[in-house]
Amino acid sequence: MNAIIKAKLEILPDEPGCYLMKDRQGTIIYVGKAKVLKNRVRSYFTGSHDGKTARLVSEIEDFEYIVTSSDLEALILELNLIKLHDPKYNIKLTDDKTYPYIKITNERHPRLITTRKIKRDKAKYFGPYPNSYAANETKKLLDRLYPLRKCTQMPSQVCLYYHLGQCLAPCVKDIEKKVYDDMINQISKFLNGGVDEIKDELQQKMLDAAENLEFERAKEFRDLITHIDSIMEKQKMVSDDLTNRDVFGYAVEKGWMCVQVFFVRQGKLIERDVTIFPIYNEPEEEFLTFVGHFYEQANHLLPKEIFVPNTIDETILQSLLNTKVIIPKRGTKKELVDLAMKNANIAVHEKFQLIERQEERTVGACEALAQAMDIPIPLRIEAFDNSHMHGTDPVSAMVVFIDGKPAKKEYRKYKTREAAKHDDYGAMAEVIRRRYTRVLRENLALPDLIVIDGGKGQMEVAREVIEDELGLSIPIAGLAKDDKHNTSQLLFGSPPEVVPLKRTSDGFYLLQRIQDEVHRFAITFLRQQQQTNAIQSVLDDIEGVGPKRKQQLMKHFGSVKKIREASELQLQEAGLPPKLAESIFKHFQEISLKKDQ
């Protein structure tokens, strides 16, 4: 514990609020809330913790706090701070799947569509549905019952839907608002559980048609009733009332939490959502934060009721979400919460070993490297590799691994500008200089470890740039390869020495993945450059073929070889004007004849 933290801990207030943990670079890595700031924040720096919390605490170099007037205010502030700073240790729902909804648009001539995005556009949304098939089948049924507009843009004449009886043709007819209002009310009634009433109306229409000897029309009504039955019987009734509700349960094991959400719509359990994540705060506090995030996502619509376990303060959630939050005490409603809790326990128990193994191969591997190299844990690793084809088209690439996993959005490609074509050392120095000059200029995150795909020479030129030119102190490692081009040794130190690391260890496995990834990324970029240069060289002499045409041809044919072999018709099919297609075809014909001679 450093002096700054020690001093701040002594003056923490006995008030509710939020705290922001920072690493050595001043980056906010965790945001939490507390009923009593003094007790909660001090708990991080006293006693022993599990692996995840210990890892968080090991990175904390400073913290800030904000006092609030209530627990609810602290929860709202926490959600806003997480959204603002996106700390790496907080709950992330980015991988959360979206569910389909049926939407009645808010337009002069409304439409019925399926969507996975919920917007504040005054439209009506119904769902979620367990999958696209269920949503689309329900929509098809409603299309046959209620002839709302189908076209996205209003056409100038009636379309096929009008002739099928599935559209009122507002493109050529004046449709009164009352007609739409009646249909929207009927659709809403159907989707909110009034299926039996709709079926009774269809049954009566079927009988009326039969009495009037309109047997084809009677058959259509009968088929619609059968279709409704086939859709609705696939879902099991779990509640006698038809209130839409979400049922939450959670379980905690070894610093991980599993939250299960059951979606109950029209009395039927239609789908569940499962999320497992590490926690660093009290389970009840983490649960409140999770639920706040859950409904902040655009793909989760607030139901009329939410059921939660009896360990949760429902009044805070109710104020936050502005919907009814209930802790069921008995009967089938309590059984639903118990079922969600039971499923959460099973899920976190079954998946924990897999999660633990993944940790060993990612963050655990970083810890193993730190121990072997005697450096701080390299949670951010940046690796570099050069590539060229017999000295031509020299390129370099950088990949980034954060917490032992690739961060592909941060990968970078480089064309060497100053280094000579065959100068690997010069190319490495140039790329290292360009990368970290920019990092310093733009105040970007510095790596905990730089990995060079190469031996002692490349390591030395990288060290000269990093330490002597830029005045930075970042550990630099080299990866030597054997004669089969496989990772063989980890080099570190000045002068570089071999770091003993078992080939079967997770640390060595991480280095292999990093080396393979940076090599793959560099080779891919090299091939792209060669292809670009090749097409530029063979098409440069043809009048009318500029950069856009070259890109158009490559996108259509995929290679220079296929462009050479293409007929005039195939070139026109690629979007070229006939005269230009003829010019390109003749150009390659002439080149081919010269070769034959």
Side-chain angles (χ1 to χ4, degrees):
M1 187 191 309
N2 63 38
I4 295 174
I5 291 177
K6 193 171 183 180
K8 285 187 174 182
L9 288 177
E10 293 176 358
I11 58 171
L12 280 166
D14 293 315
E15 302 283 347
C18 289
Y19 51 91
L20 302 88
M21 302 300 196
K22 298 181 177 182
D23 64 11
R24 62 176 177 267
Q25 294 178 354
T27 303
I28 294 169
I29 58 175
Y30 184 72
V31 172
K33 64 181 174 303
K35 293 180 180 178
V36 180
L37 279 167
K38 180 190 289 187
N39 297 344
R40 183 64 200 134
V41 177
R42 283 182 176 179
S43 69
Y44 285 95
F45 304 98
T46 56
S48 59
H49 301 287
D50 59 55
K52 291 176 177 44
T53 306
R55 192 172 300 125
L56 165 64
V57 173
S58 70
E59 291 187 52
I60 298 172
E61 293 292 326
D62 193 7
F63 69 85
E64 294 178 8
Y65 60 88
I66 303 169
V67 174
T68 60
S69 57
S70 67
D71 295 345
L72 173 61
E73 192 177 312
L75 175 57
I76 295 170
L77 178 60
E78 181 197 34
L79 294 172
N80 290 330
L81 289 172
I82 291 172
K83 189 191 298 183
L84 177 64
H85 297 291
D86 190 26
K88 71 175 184 177
Y89 282 109
N90 281 100
I91 300 168
K92 289 181 174 63
L93 299 181
T94 51
D95 294 332
D96 196 31
K97 63 181 178 180
T98 59
Y99 295 97
Y101 289 81
I102 289 178
K103 172 182 178 180
I104 304 174
T105 63
N106 179 36
E107 298 173 276
R108 168 68 183 88
H109 303 289
R111 292 175 297 139
L112 193 69
I113 61 175
T114 56
T115 181
R116 290 180 182 269
K117 292 183 179 179
I118 297 172
K119 302 176 182 177
R120 294 179 180 177
D121 53 5
K122 296 184 180 179
K124 290 180 178 290
Y125 293 87
F126 304 89
Y129 286 83
N131 51 56
S132 295
Y133 177 79
N136 289 329
E137 285 298 298
T138 304
K139 179 186 173 296
K140 285 178 187 177
L141 172 63
L142 292 168
D143 284 339
R144 293 170 65 185
L145 289 170
Y146 307 104
L148 291 179
R149 176 167 67 98
K150 305 295 184 296
C151 304
T152 306
Q153 299 294 328
M154 194 73 76
S156 58
Q157 58 186 5
V158 296
C159 62
L160 181 61
Y161 287 112
Y162 172 74
H163 297 293
L164 291 173
Q166 293 187 22
C167 181
L168 295 176
C171 51
V172 296
K173 296 183 179 182
D174 185 21
I175 311 298
E176 292 183 8
K177 184 176 182 296
K178 185 179 181 304
V179 175
Y180 286 132
D181 290 343
D182 289 342
M183 282 196 289
I184 290 171
N185 288 336
Q186 289 291 312
I187 293 170
S188 300
K189 186 191 298 181
F190 180 95
L191 294 174
N192 283 325
V195 177
D196 291 337
E197 190 176 335
I198 302 297
K199 278 176 59 181
D200 289 343
E201 291 176 9
L202 291 173
Q203 185 83 21
Q204 187 58 51
K205 288 180 180 179
M206 181 184 72
L207 294 173
D208 292 343
E211 279 186 19
N212 295 328
L213 305 181
E214 298 173 348
F215 298 116
E216 285 294 325
R217 188 159 176 75
K219 181 178 179 296
E220 287 180 10
F221 287 125
R222 185 200 66 188
D223 292 345
L224 282 172
I225 294 168
T226 304
H227 194 34
I228 291 172
D229 289 336
S230 67
I231 289 175
M232 302 311 294
E233 73 180 4
K234 293 176 183 176
Q235 298 168 341
K236 183 181 177 182
M237 184 70 73
V238 297
S239 176
D240 293 334
D241 67 85
L242 302 178
T243 304
N244 290 344
R245 57 175 61 98
D246 292 345
V247 181
F248 284 84
Y250 71 90
V252 176
E253 183 176 336
K254 298 179 182 177
W256 287 80
M257 175 178 276
C258 174
V259 178
Q260 298 242 352
V261 190
F262 290 164
F263 300 119
V264 180
R265 300 295 182 267
Q266 302 173 34
K268 301 172 183 68
L269 176 58
I270 64 165
E271 182 60 293
R272 72 166 177 171
D273 186 282
V274 184
T275 308
I276 299 180
F277 51 92
I279 62 172
Y280 308 93
N281 206 334
E282 295 301 318
E284 292 74 21
E285 298 296 318
E286 294 278 10
F287 178 82
L288 290 173
T289 302
F290 172 87
V291 176
H293 278 302
F294 188 80
Y295 290 112
E296 210 172 44
Q297 305 293 312
N299 55 308
H300 291 123
L301 190 66
L302 267 171
K304 288 187 177 180
E305 289 182 356
I306 293 173
F307 289 177
V308 295
N310 59 12
T311 54
I312 302 303
D313 186 342
E314 76 275 23
T315 57
I316 291 180
L317 269 184
Q318 190 156 302
S319 300
L320 175 70
L321 302 175
N322 197 24
T323 195
K324 195 172 184 180
V325 180
I326 299 171
I327 299 175
K329 300 292 193 298
R330 63 183 72 83
T332 56
K333 294 178 179 179
K334 184 177 184 300
E335 288 172 7
L336 267 178
V337 175
D338 291 342
L339 184 63
M341 296 286 279
K342 180 180 179 182
N343 275 273
N345 267 299
I346 292 170
V348 75
H349 182 72
E350 285 183 349
K351 292 189 178 183
F352 188 80
Q353 287 187 337
L354 292 175
I355 293 169
E356 197 171 51
R357 178 56 185 155
Q358 177 68 15
E359 281 288 297
E360 288 175 8
R361 305 189 82 171
T362 54
V363 177
C366 295
E367 292 173 346
L369 285 179
Q371 189 173 359
M373 300 168 70
D374 193 23
I375 61 173
I377 300 172
L379 296 177
R380 181 185 180 92
I381 300 174
E382 297 186 358
F384 296 83
D385 188 21
N386 297 330
S387 189
H388 59 82
M389 182 62 71
H390 307 300
T392 63
D393 302 320
V395 299
S396 296
M398 180 198 78
V399 300
V400 179
F401 275 60
I402 297 175
D403 293 342
K405 292 173 281 191
K408 295 194 175 184
K409 288 183 179 179
E410 299 202 40
Y411 287 13
R412 294 293 180 267
K413 305 170 185 174
Y414 298 91
K415 292 182 189 177
T416 49
R417 301 167 184 164
E418 302 164 5
K421 287 185 178 180
H422 295 277
D423 185 4
D424 263 0
Y425 293 165
M428 182 62 69
E430 178 187 331
V431 171
I432 293 287
R433 185 180 298 111
R434 284 166 58 186
R435 167 62 182 170
Y436 295 106
T437 300
R438 182 182 178 185
V439 166
L440 291 173
R441 184 175 65 246
E442 299 182 9
N443 198 28
L444 303 176
L446 286 166
D448 303 306
L449 175 65
I450 295 173
V451 174
I452 306 297
D453 188 3
K456 297 179 180 180
Q458 284 94 337
M459 286 178 65
E460 179 57 24
V461 296
R463 188 201 63 76
E464 287 175 359
V465 174
I466 292 293
E467 296 180 8
D468 299 344
E469 290 185 28
L470 302 178
L472 296 172
S473 178
I474 303 172
I476 300 171
L479 295 177
K481 294 181 179 179
D482 58 22
D483 53 3
K484 295 182 180 178
H485 210 69
N486 294 322
T487 308
S488 62
Q489 292 177 330
L490 169 64
L491 303 174
F492 182 65
S494 184
E497 294 181 359
V498 175
V499 177
L501 202 61
K502 288 185 179 180
R503 285 177 169 269
T504 55
S505 68
D506 288 322
F508 192 84
Y509 174 70
L510 174 59
L511 291 175
Q512 283 182 316
R513 284 193 297 139
I514 290 172
Q515 190 171 41
D516 290 345
E517 182 69 353
V518 71
H519 182 66
R520 177 200 66 78
F521 193 52
I523 288 293
T524 302
F525 184 41
L526 175 64
R527 288 171 180 163
Q528 289 171 348
Q529 287 299 113
Q530 289 174 329
Q531 208 167 48
T532 301
N533 292 341
I535 189 169
Q536 285 176 345
S537 62
V538 298
L539 296 176
D540 275 347
D541 298 332
I542 306 174
E543 188 177 346
V545 180
K548 288 186 178 179
R549 290 291 188 199
K550 293 171 186 175
Q551 189 177 8
Q552 180 182 351
L553 287 167
M554 280 303 297
K555 187 175 181 180
H556 184 84
F557 290 103
S559 69
V560 176
K561 183 175 181 291
K562 288 184 179 178
I563 297 172
R564 283 197 185 103
E565 296 170 352
S567 65
E568 278 188 57
L569 180 60
Q570 288 171 327
L571 289 166
Q572 289 181 38
E573 288 173 352
L576 297 184
K579 286 187 178 180
L580 184 57
E582 182 184 359
S583 298
I584 294 173
F585 178 74
K586 284 183 179 179
H587 176 79
F588 287 122
Q589 286 286 94
E590 290 171 5
I591 292 174
S592 180
L593 286 172
K594 286 178 183 178
K595 283 184 179 179
D596 292 340
Q597 293 171 0

